[in-house]
């Protein structure tokens, strides 16, 4: 209750009007952001399974090279690792 009173008071101060509009817009877009994240999860899940089958499934091609086999096992060893690798590729993280 106290937080709502503070938020109402901040909304009335002219300097914070732009900040309030940004926060209000973010709150109004939460529904859309939620469904975008759900769709992104299912796309990464589907491609994680595909990558796991294609890359880790043909492990006999990389058995001769230890470094490549270790990297494939590290990044695509199981479904969560595969999904994390794809998320990192999607967000250009490391």
């Amino acid at each position: 209750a106290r937080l709502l009173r503070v938020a109402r008071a901040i909304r009335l101060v002219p300097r914070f009007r732009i900040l309030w509009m940004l926060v209000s817009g973010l709150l109004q877009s939460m529904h859309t952001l939620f469904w975008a994240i759900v769709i992104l999860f299912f796309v990464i899940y589907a491609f994680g399974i595909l990558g796991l089958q294609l890359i880790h499934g043909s492990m006999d091609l990389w058995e001769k090279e230890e470094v490549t086999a270790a990297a494939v096992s590290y990044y695509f060893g199981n479904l969560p690792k595969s999904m994390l690798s794809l998320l990192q590729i999607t967000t250009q993280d490391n």
Side-chain angles (χ1 to χ4, degrees):
R2 184 176 291 199
L3 186 61
L4 289 175
R5 279 185 256 148
V6 170
R8 198 176 312 134
I10 288 175
R11 188 178 68 182
L12 296 176
V13 176
R15 290 184 183 172
F16 292 111
R17 188 166 304 273
I18 294 173
L19 177 64
W20 181 255
M21 286 182 357
L22 287 172
V23 170
S24 175
L26 183 64
L27 291 175
Q28 290 174 1
S29 67
M30 282 295 177
H31 184 75
T32 305
L33 288 174
F34 171 75
W35 286 110
I37 290 170
V38 168
I39 290 172
L40 183 64
F41 173 79
F42 282 117
V43 168
I44 288 177
Y45 180 76
F47 279 101
I49 292 173
L50 183 67
L52 191 63
Q53 290 295 317
L54 292 177
I55 295 171
H56 196 267
S58 59
M59 193 65 172
D60 56 339
L61 298 175
W62 294 298
E63 286 179 350
K64 296 174 185 171
E65 298 181 32
E66 284 185 28
V67 176
T68 307
V72 167
S73 179
Y74 180 76
Y75 291 111
F76 294 96
N78 53 25
L79 184 59
K81 285 182 180 180
S82 179
M83 289 176 64
L84 178 63
S85 298
L86 289 173
L87 180 66
Q88 287 177 336
I89 291 168
T90 303
T91 59
Q92 297 180 356
D93 177 33
N94 270 343

